[in-house]
């Protein structure tokens, strides 16, 4: 009987896929990496490093030039991501809707932004 109950309790435990979204909680390591959002002919790059620093850039066209870019420091607290941009006094607050190993969805500037993980992109590739 004890063995049957143990087997039944084990059957209720499930493993999540790496592609499934997290609830936005957790530590900063789950958001670390380079993320790319493509909208029409515009690319938004967001890099979050494990040491709390980051970089963003906007590029128009696949072979276009970087029009805007900047460095920042960041802190993650639950489902909020606080960005302190270099040479600015204010902090930008982004809400994490979901994050997985391949997709990062944020509420940013009143809109929803969906980023895909970029394993191959290096910042030197942008310039």
């Amino acid at each position: 009987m004890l063995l049957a109950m143990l087997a039944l309790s084990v059957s209720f435990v499930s493993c999540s896929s790496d592609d499934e979204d997290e609830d936005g909680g957790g530590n900063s390591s789950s958001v670390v990496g380079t993320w790319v959002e493509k909208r029409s002919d515009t690319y938004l790059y967001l890099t979050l490093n494990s040491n709390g620093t980051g970089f963003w850039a906007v590029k128009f066209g696949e072979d276009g030039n970087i029009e805007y870019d900047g460095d920042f420091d960041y802190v993650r607290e639950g489902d909020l991501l606080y960005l302190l941009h270099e040479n600015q006094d204010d902090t930008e607050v982004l809400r994490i809707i979901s994050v997985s190993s391949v997709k990062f969805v944020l509420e940013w500037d009143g809109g929803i932004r969906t980023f895909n993980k970029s394993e191959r992109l290096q910042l030197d590739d942008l310039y």
Side-chain angles (χ1 to χ4, degrees):
M1 180 72 171
L2 181 61
L3 189 55
M5 289 177 59
L6 182 59
L8 184 58
S9 66
V10 169
S11 69
F12 287 110
V13 176
S14 67
C15 297
S16 64
S17 165
D18 286 343
D19 292 343
E20 290 181 16
D21 292 341
E22 296 177 5
D23 63 358
N27 61 32
S28 296
S29 63
S30 61
V31 298
V32 168
T34 296
W35 304 89
V36 181
E37 180 194 49
K38 182 179 185 288
R39 287 190 179 185
S40 300
D41 204 27
T42 303
Y43 296 82
L44 175 59
Y45 298 92
L46 180 66
T47 296
L48 300 168
N49 300 310
S50 61
N51 66 356
T53 63
F55 174 82
W56 66 273
V58 177
K59 181 178 175 181
F60 297 104
E62 203 166 307
D63 297 325
N65 295 322
I66 296 293
E67 296 294 324
Y68 309 102
D69 65 359
D71 295 312
F72 58 85
D73 293 323
Y74 76 93
V75 174
R76 179 178 180 185
E77 291 181 2
D79 68 345
L80 297 178
L81 196 60
Y82 298 92
L83 306 184
L84 179 59
H85 295 276
E86 187 178 87
N87 302 323
Q88 292 184 7
D89 293 331
D90 62 331
T91 300
E92 189 173 12
V93 181
L94 290 61
R95 188 172 68 84
I96 299 170
I97 296 172
S98 64
V99 62
S100 73
S101 62
V102 295
K103 191 163 110 175
F104 191 16
V105 182
L106 296 168
E107 183 179 331
W108 190 350
D109 287 336
I112 303 299
R113 299 203 171 261
T114 302
F115 293 85
N116 293 307
K117 188 90 172 236
S118 176
E119 298 295 335
R120 298 175 311 233
L121 181 73
Q122 299 296 317
L123 293 180
D124 291 340
D125 296 340
L126 297 176
Y127 296 96

